[in-house]
């Protein structure tokens, strides 16, 4: 008797698909509706690993699902193949990054084909190909023309190990480099930036469109990253200086309580104010600045470290009180936020209060937060009228004494025309007063910084600018693109703070495009996040050498219907892709402003509760898993492990169990003895009901990403079919064939090899991936029902009509999904659910 042999099945079908190419999506005559399903493309740093295996298994369920629903699905793949890992590997081994990269791509591609992800290989791209990066350069030039790409001198994040600058996004919260792990320091350099801050409001506001379609965690990470603050700019005169200093504040209502000013020590303003002060101040300032330069931004913003700073010996004038205020430099004020200077209101801002208390600066309360005094005040005696005498207690809320700033809301006091107003009204009023006086205005501020794209490294896209000897900038004419990356041979790629390209004499020295005089190419390369910001558009026509992408194809396919990838890209990549989409919209190339309509973040594959790594010795090799259990068992395990958003612990799952189930399903198809032209209606009604219930339920479950539930239901279906073969109507019954065919179609989503082999045994030509999902026969869905009651905190909130044989967890899912129940639960959170299937679900909430 023939047994299930996954290796033989893989060997059999891979070449058949290679020949058939069932996943091509580029036929212009294809009239099916379209779906664009995109997996984040891999970085070719070695062979595929378990994380890839999870992501591509899940993305493929979605792509295969929509094909079976009658869509022309575009599911492309390519390689994000520029970047530091290749360069570092090349340096370590003394080889060319190009060779290393393309060897890895070959290996990953072979693995992906074995893994049977349903990619349209006609659309394959590599960002390190000149045919691709030419268009990075084109994009850069379009942005340059619009003033969206510019160069400036500024303090940048410097990775002392990789010897290159980093975008803010690449510096981890602990101040280390996301890439090398080194502590990031500040360095002043002239660098290229993309003006993403011009798009801050749109990047923020458009997130509302994605509500419910992107994970809420990602939406809030994006919102925090952009970090919009609403407030005012206020101008202060400085004695001995012509120009006023502007500060940004979210609390202009507290202006009467501003008692000193603080500037960022690493700002030009601080240097200038110090230079205009005494020699002693200048000396102390220089020492302090050197000290500050050593700390990270994270450290500087931390509230629980001792405040440091120096008095610059200069005087600012409070524009409303006319009071003279000292000007200090302190590192809790950041140079690149707002205007790099603050009006300090110690009574109402904790950092200002800590500073004022440390350096004995004045503190004035201007908001009566009117908090009730708690605690009992002891009576110390009675007066002549017999009334209690209270001790001369200090104000229990006095910030100078308690060290706690009064940040809450209240009525304004000690504030002249603002007295008695609420915070909101006071803000309105003071902004009016300042505007009338030309001393301020309403203003917004963002945490978001412009995107620094210059990298002093080799393996990236050359920046298409030529620098004249006189310091002028000249864009490379578009018809001279691409600016090819010179050969690595003969170049020293070792990090040294300047780009290796600067040493490629023949490449870097070019005539000035204007007058032919000697000039030099820009020797920096672009951040590789530029490459990945628009690759999803290049997939539309990856071989077009006339344009970056075809707007008509974009009209047909884009935006991406479903994007699948890791939450590690929640900020950087997604923000940049959203930004570039809006830029291309503004340039007239796109008709939409958001690139990814829906986003699924898969969890991570772990081992024994922690991330897998070579050093921990808990690395599970994908190639070993595929060899031991087969592709289908690994893929099925990924889908069955739990909700896709959750992490998978490989120690807790069972690819062996998956393989057993696949063998069981496969034997069902093998045992079928009827031919494809059976009359379905003659089949066993009980089995047919199970099959059609599955047909009816699976699509909704897949669209809600409940892949694991579908697999569980499929297991039930296979069990029911087995029973029908062995102890029911037997292998010739039409219902047995029907169930086996539906099983093959559904397994196509999770276990394509097994599904294809089943399909062939059932008498059909390849490919099951193109078979259309069958409609459930509604007459078979009617079954005896009972009513289950759902209670929330003891009150009946819903009644559900359900099958009397419903499983407890399924009933619980239904109860939790009920709108009435969700309303009753509100945002209190569920603490306990008791299910007595099929009659009662009792939910308890917090509070
Ligand atoms: C006076 C004030 C009074 C403030 C008060 C707050 C509370 P967000 O919300 O993060 O935008 N600030 C302004 N520029 C700064 C800089 N470069 N570095 C550090 N702090 C800076 O914070 C805005 C507030 O942070 C501003 O409002 C300013 O302090 C401070 F009761 O002004 B505020």
């Amino acid at each position: 008797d023939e047994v299930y042999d996954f290796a033989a099945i893989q060997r059999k079908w891979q070449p058949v698909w290679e020949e058939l190419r069932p996943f091509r999506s580029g036929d212009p005559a294809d009239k099916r509706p379209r779906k664009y399903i995109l997996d984040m493309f891999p970085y070719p740093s070695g062979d595929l690993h378990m994380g890839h295996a999870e992501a591509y298994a899940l993305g493929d369920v979605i792509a295969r699902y929509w094909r079976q629903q009658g869509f022309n699905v575009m599911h492309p793949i390519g390689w994000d193949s520029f970047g530091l890992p290749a360069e570092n590997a090349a340096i370590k081994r003394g080889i060319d990054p190009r060779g290393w990269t393309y060897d890895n791509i070959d290996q990953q591609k072979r693995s992906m084909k074995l893994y049977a992800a349903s990619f349209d290989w006609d659309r394959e791209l590599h960002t390190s190909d000149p045919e691709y990066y030419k268009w990075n350069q084109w994009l850069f030039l379009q942005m340059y023309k619009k003033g969206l790409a510019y160069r400036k001198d500024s303090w940048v994040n410097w990775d002392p190990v990789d010897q290159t600058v980093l975008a803010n996004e690449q510096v981890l919260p602990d101040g280390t480099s996301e890439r090398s792990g080194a502590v990031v320091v500040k360095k002043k350099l002239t660098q290229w930036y993309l003006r993403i801050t011009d798009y801050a409001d749109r990047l923020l506001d458009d997130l509302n469109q994605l509500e419910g379609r992107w994970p809420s965690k990602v939406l809030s990470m994006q919102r925090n990253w952009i970090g919009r603050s609403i407030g005012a700019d206020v101008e202060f005169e400085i004695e001995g200086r012509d120009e006023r200093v502007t500060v940004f504040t979210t609390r202009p209502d507290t202006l009467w309580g501003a008692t000193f000013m603080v500037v960022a020590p690493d700002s030009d303003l601080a240097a200038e104010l110090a230079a205009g002060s005494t020699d002693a101040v200048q000396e102390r300032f220089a020492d302090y600045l050197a000290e500050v330069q050593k700390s990270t931004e994270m450290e500087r913003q931390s509230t629980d470290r001792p405040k440091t700073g120096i008095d610059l010996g200069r005087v600012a004038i409070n524009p409303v009180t006319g009071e003279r205020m000292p000007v200090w430099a302190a590192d809790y004020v950041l140079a690149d936020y707002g205007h790099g200077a603050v009006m300090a209101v110690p009574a109402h801002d904790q950092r200002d209060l800590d500073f004022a208390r440390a350096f004995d600066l004045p503190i004035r309360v201007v908001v009566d937060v009117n908090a009730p005094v708690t605690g009992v005040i002891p009576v110390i005696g009675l007066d002549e009228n017999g009334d209690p005498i209270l001790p001369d207690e200090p104000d229990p809320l006095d910030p100078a004494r308690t060290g706690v700033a009064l940040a809450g809301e209240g009525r304004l006091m000690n504030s002249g025309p603002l007295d008695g107003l609420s915070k909101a009204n006071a803000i309105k009023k003071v902004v009016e007063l300042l505007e009338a006086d030309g001393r301020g205005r309403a203003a917004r501020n963002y945490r978001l910084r412009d995107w620094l794209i210059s990298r002093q490294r080799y393996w990236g896209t050359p920046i298409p600018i030529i620098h004249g000897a006189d310091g002028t900038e000249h864009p490379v004419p578009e018809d001279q693109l691409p600016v090819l990356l010179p050969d690595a041979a003969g170049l020293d790629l070792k990090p040294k703070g300047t780009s290796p390209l600067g040493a490629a004499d023949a490449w870097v020295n070019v005539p000035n495009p204007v007058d032919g005089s000697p000039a030099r190419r820009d020797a920096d390369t672009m951040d590789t996040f530029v490459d990945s910001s628009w690759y999803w558009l290049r997939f539309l026509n990856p071989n077009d050498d006339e344009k970056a992408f075809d707007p008509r194809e974009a009209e047909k396919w884009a935006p991406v219907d479903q994007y699948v990838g890791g939450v590690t890209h929640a900020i950087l990549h997604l923000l940049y892709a959203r930004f570039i989409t809006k830029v291309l919209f503004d340039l007239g190339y796109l008709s939409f402003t958001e690139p990814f309509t829906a986003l699924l973040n898969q969890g991570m594959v772990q081992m024994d509760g922690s991330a897998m790594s070579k050093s921990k010795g808990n690395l599970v090799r994908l190639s070993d898993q595929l060899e031991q259990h087969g592709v289908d068992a690994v893929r099925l395990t990924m889908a069955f492990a739990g909700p896709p958003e959750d992490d998978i612990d490989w120690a807790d799952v069972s690819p062996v169990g998956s393989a057993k189930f696949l063998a069981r399903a496969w034997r069902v198809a093998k045992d079928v003895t009827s031919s494809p032209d059976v009359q379905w209606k003659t089949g066993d009604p009980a089995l047919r009901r199970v099959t059609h219930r599955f047909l009816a339920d699976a699509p909704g479950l897949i669209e809600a990403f409940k892949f694991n539930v579908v697999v569980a239901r499929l297991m039930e279906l296979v069990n029911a079919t087995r029973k029908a073969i062995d102890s029911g109507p037997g292998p010739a019954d039409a219902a047995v064939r029907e169930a086996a065919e539906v099983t093959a179609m559904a397994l196509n989503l999770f276990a394509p090899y097994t599904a294809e082999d089943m399909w062939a045994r059932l008498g059909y030509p390849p490919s099951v991936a193109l078979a259309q999902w069958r409609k459930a026969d509604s007459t078979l869905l009617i079954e005896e029902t009972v009513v289950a009651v759902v209670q929330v905190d003891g009150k009946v909130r819903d009644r559900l009509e359900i099958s009397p044989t419903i499983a407890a967890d399924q009933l619980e899912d239904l109860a939790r999904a009920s709108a009435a129940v969700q309303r009753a639960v509100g945002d209190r959170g569920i603490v306990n659910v008791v299910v007595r299937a099929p009659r009662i679900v009792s939910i308890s909430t917090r509070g």
Side-chain angles (χ1 to χ4, degrees):
D1 196 19
E2 219 185 337
V3 294
Y4 176 75
D5 176 351
F6 70 78
I9 294 175
Q10 288 172 195
R11 272 196 306 275
K12 172 161 185 199
W13 293 109
Q14 208 191 324
V16 174
W17 294 330
E18 203 64 54
E19 182 73 26
L20 190 66
R21 300 202 289 162
F23 309 119
R24 277 178 302 171
S25 51
D27 179 0
D30 197 323
K31 290 282 176 283
R32 289 174 294 172
R34 300 182 185 84
K35 283 268 181 206
Y36 186 175
I37 310 297
L38 183 62
D39 292 315
M40 289 181 184
F41 65 166
Y43 186 85
S45 53
D47 199 356
L48 296 185
H49 53 63
M50 294 298 280
H52 292 122
E54 184 193 8
Y56 297 128
L58 301 181
D60 211 37
V61 171
I62 301 172
R64 287 173 178 271
Y65 167 76
W66 288 111
R67 267 186 219 103
Q68 290 191 322
Q69 297 295 321
F71 286 78
N72 183 10
V73 171
M74 170 165 140
H75 189 37
I77 193 71
W79 275 269
D80 189 11
S81 46
F82 266 146
L84 273 182
E87 195 158 342
N88 290 343
I91 292 165
K92 204 158 122 197
R93 295 166 211 194
I95 51 173
D96 186 333
R98 185 175 278 112
W100 184 87
T101 300
Y102 285 85
D103 285 351
N104 282 340
I105 289 176
D106 283 346
Q107 188 180 25
Q108 289 197 345
K109 186 170 175 177
R110 256 179 283 126
S111 298
M112 271 189 192
K113 291 208 159 178
L114 172 66
Y115 202 58
S118 66
F119 295 127
D120 180 349
W121 287 101
D122 290 355
R123 297 181 187 268
E124 180 184 356
L125 61 79
H126 315 125
T127 58
S128 52
D129 288 349
E131 295 76 20
Y132 186 89
Y133 68 72
K134 169 179 178 176
W135 302 108
N136 285 340
Q137 295 171 342
W138 172 84
L139 179 65
F140 177 92
L141 292 178
Q142 308 315 304
M143 295 181 74
Y144 183 80
K145 278 194 273 186
K146 288 272 171 201
L148 291 171
Y150 68 98
R151 231 154 65 112
K152 79 171 175 198
D153 225 20
S154 65
W155 291 104
V156 296
N157 301 308
W158 181 258
D159 180 333
V161 170
D162 279 341
Q163 293 269 315
T164 189
V165 301
L166 299 172
N168 282 348
E169 288 84 342
Q170 292 168 318
V171 182
L172 299 177
D174 66 355
T176 59
S177 162
E178 172 194 80
R179 297 184 177 266
S180 71
V183 172
V184 175
V185 296
K186 293 282 178 180
K187 187 168 171 167
K188 202 156 204 172
L189 285 176
T190 308
Q191 303 282 296
W192 286 100
Y193 289 83
L194 299 183
R195 216 178 282 282
I196 191 171
T197 53
D198 271 14
Y199 286 73
D201 279 323
R202 288 163 69 186
L203 286 167
L204 195 63
D205 296 339
D206 288 356
L207 288 172
N208 297 338
Q209 297 174 27
L210 305 172
E211 206 70 61
R213 299 156 178 257
W214 278 33
S216 52
K217 186 172 143 201
V218 174
L219 293 176
S220 75
M221 285 165 88
Q222 295 254 320
R223 288 193 177 104
N224 289 336
W225 191 262
I226 298 164
R228 180 162 67 196
S229 294
I230 299 190
D233 280 348
V234 183
E235 296 178 2
F236 288 75
E237 310 266 3
I238 305 286
E239 287 183 3
R241 188 180 195 259
D242 293 339
E243 255 177 85
R244 294 176 187 157
V245 166
T246 306
V247 304
F248 172 71
T249 174
T250 46
R251 294 292 306 273
D253 56 316
T254 62
L255 184 51
W256 273 258
T259 53
F260 56 101
M261 176 182 279
V262 187
V263 299
D266 46 345
S267 62
D268 293 344
L269 177 63
E272 183 219 302
L273 292 175
S277 199
T278 63
D279 288 354
V281 165
Q282 285 181 44
E283 219 166 279
R284 264 186 290 142
F285 174 73
D287 290 347
Y288 183 58
L289 180 59
E291 209 44 52
V292 168
Q293 227 82 87
K294 289 185 204 142
S295 52
T296 66
E297 184 153 330
M298 186 68 182
E299 285 166 358
R300 289 178 60 169
Q301 283 177 292
S302 143
T303 44
D304 47 71
R305 81 197 248 275
K307 288 278 179 288
T308 61
I310 59 156
D311 187 345
L312 290 174
R314 303 290 300 260
V315 172
I317 308 295
N318 185 315
V320 290
T321 64
E323 215 168 357
R324 300 175 80 237
M325 310 172 2
V327 180
W328 285 63
D331 68 354
Y332 76 96
V333 175
L334 304 174
D336 62 355
Y337 187 73
H339 303 282
V342 307
M343 61 180 225
V345 184
H348 303 288
D349 180 276
Q350 191 61 48
R351 289 168 307 172
D352 296 343
L353 180 62
D354 295 344
F355 195 79
R357 280 162 49 97
F359 294 102
D360 213 10
L361 292 158
I363 299 164
R364 185 183 313 130
V365 175
V366 293
V367 182
D368 178 5
V369 295
N370 196 24
V373 179
T374 54
V376 179
I377 299 170
V379 174
I380 54 174
L382 297 177
D383 64 14
E384 59 260 34
N385 301 326
D387 291 330
I389 303 173
L390 299 176
D392 208 8
E393 273 289 299
D395 177 355
L397 295 177
D398 177 13
R401 196 178 59 83
T402 61
V404 180
L406 305 172
E409 302 227 359
R411 302 266 161 205
L412 272 287
M413 58 189 270
N414 295 335
S415 296
L418 305 190
D419 279 356
L421 295 181
S422 67
K423 171 176 158 185
N425 287 335
I427 289 177
K428 235 173 96 190
K429 176 104 190 199
V430 71
V431 168
E432 274 168 26
L433 292 172
L434 290 168
E435 270 174 359
D437 237 13
R439 285 169 189 276
R441 65 211 62 86
R444 296 168 162 209
N445 235 297
Y446 304 87
R447 208 175 89 85
L448 184 68
R449 301 275 74 98
D450 274 342
W451 175 11
L452 195 173
I453 58 156
S454 306
R455 296 291 180 276
Q456 292 70 47
R457 298 305 296 259
Y458 169 77
W459 191 234
T461 304
I463 291 173
I465 293 286
I466 293 168
H467 298 283
D470 55 357
T472 48
E473 280 167 10
H474 306 281
V476 172
E478 276 179 36
D479 60 6
Q480 289 172 29
L481 297 183
V483 176
L484 287 172
L485 195 57
D487 230 17
L491 291 183
D492 178 13
L493 302 186
K494 276 194 210 67
K496 55 191 170 304
T498 55
S499 174
L501 295 181
D505 291 331
W507 179 86
V508 82
N509 294 306
V510 287
N512 187 320
V514 176
D515 58 12
S517 64
R520 282 174 70 84
R521 287 191 190 282
D522 199 294
D524 286 350
T525 52
M526 292 182 203
D527 180 5
T528 54
F529 277 111
V530 174
D531 314 7
S532 52
S533 68
W534 70 282
Y535 78 111
W536 54 281
L537 286 168
R538 185 67 185 166
F539 279 133
L540 299 170
N541 48 334
N543 302 315
D544 193 329
D545 52 15
E546 304 274 296
K547 49 195 174 308
F549 64 93
D550 188 337
R552 279 168 316 189
E553 290 293 303
E555 210 46 47
K556 286 200 239 163
W557 287 104
V560 171
D561 293 288
Q562 180 67 58
Y563 201 22
V564 179
V567 74
T568 41
H569 292 298
I571 298 177
L572 311 97
H573 162 57
L574 294 174
L575 191 68
Y576 294 148
R578 297 181 58 228
F579 164 50
I580 294 299
T581 304
K582 291 173 202 302
V583 170
L584 290 169
F585 171 87
D586 290 352
L587 291 169
Y589 292 107
L590 295 177
S591 64
F592 53 87
T593 56
E594 283 293 331
F596 312 125
T597 306
L599 174 67
L600 172 63
N601 286 142
Q602 83 278 359
M604 295 215 320
V605 185
Q606 306 191 320
M607 188 70 193
D608 292 322
S610 66
M612 296 193 291
S613 78
K614 238 182 250 168
S615 58
K616 276 192 228 147
N618 63 352
L619 197 73
V620 177
R621 260 179 217 295
L622 176 61
S623 55
D624 294 346
Q625 295 294 307
L626 295 180
E627 205 152 298
Q628 268 179 41
H629 309 292
V631 169
D632 283 356
V634 169
R635 291 182 53 148
L636 187 75
T637 303
M638 296 291 184
F640 189 45
E645 300 85 353
D646 290 2
D647 292 343
I648 298 176
D649 195 320
W650 204 251
D652 296 343
V653 296
S654 171
V656 173
S658 297
K660 278 194 186 139
F661 163 66
L662 290 172
R664 203 170 155 74
W666 179 87
R667 276 198 305 274
V668 161
K670 182 174 75 79
D671 290 351
V672 168
T673 53
S674 59
S675 70
D677 53 17
V678 287
Q679 293 299 308
W680 299 127
K681 291 216 152 60
T682 64
D684 174 55
L687 181 56
R688 291 202 77 204
R689 270 201 292 276
V690 180
T691 304
H692 283 259
R693 194 23 73 200
F694 178 80
L695 281 174
D697 293 347
L701 290 167
I702 295 285
E703 287 177 40
F705 306 140
K706 294 187 174 176
F707 308 148
N708 54 328
V709 179
V710 175
V711 174
R713 296 282 304 276
L714 196 50
M715 289 172 171
E716 285 172 20
L717 176 60
V718 169
N719 286 344
T721 319
R722 184 80 256 159
K723 234 163 81 203
I725 295 172
D726 291 349
S727 53
D733 188 87
V736 168
R737 161 169 283 279
E738 187 177 37
E741 290 188 7
V742 169
T743 299
M745 279 186 215
L747 266 187
N748 164 62
L749 306 181
F750 311 106
Y753 287 108
T754 308
E756 195 74 88
D757 210 64
M758 289 172 70
W759 198 240
R761 280 165 197 279
L762 289 165
Y764 297 106
S767 170
V768 68
L770 301 177
Q772 294 301 288
W773 193 255
R774 294 201 186 140
K775 259 211 149 78
D777 178 344
S778 55
T779 61
L780 289 166
L781 300 179
I782 302 163
E783 49 183 342
E784 192 201 335
T785 58
V786 293
V787 172
V789 167
V790 188
Q791 300 179 333
V792 176
D793 295 331
K795 278 210 186 90
V796 175
R797 295 298 188 175
D798 205 356
R799 290 185 165 78
L800 304 171
E801 214 172 292
I802 44 130
S803 151
T805 59
I806 192 166
D809 56 345
Q810 219 182 322
L811 179 55
E812 177 175 340
D813 284 350
L814 287 174
R816 283 175 181 269
S818 148
V821 168
Q822 284 173 3
R823 259 196 313 278
V825 170
D827 48 24
R828 289 195 307 270
I830 294 175
V831 287
N832 193 32
V833 182
V834 178
V835 184
R836 302 251 178 279
R839 291 292 176 192
I840 296 176
V841 181
S842 177
I843 295 175
S844 318
T845 69
R846 199 177 291 126

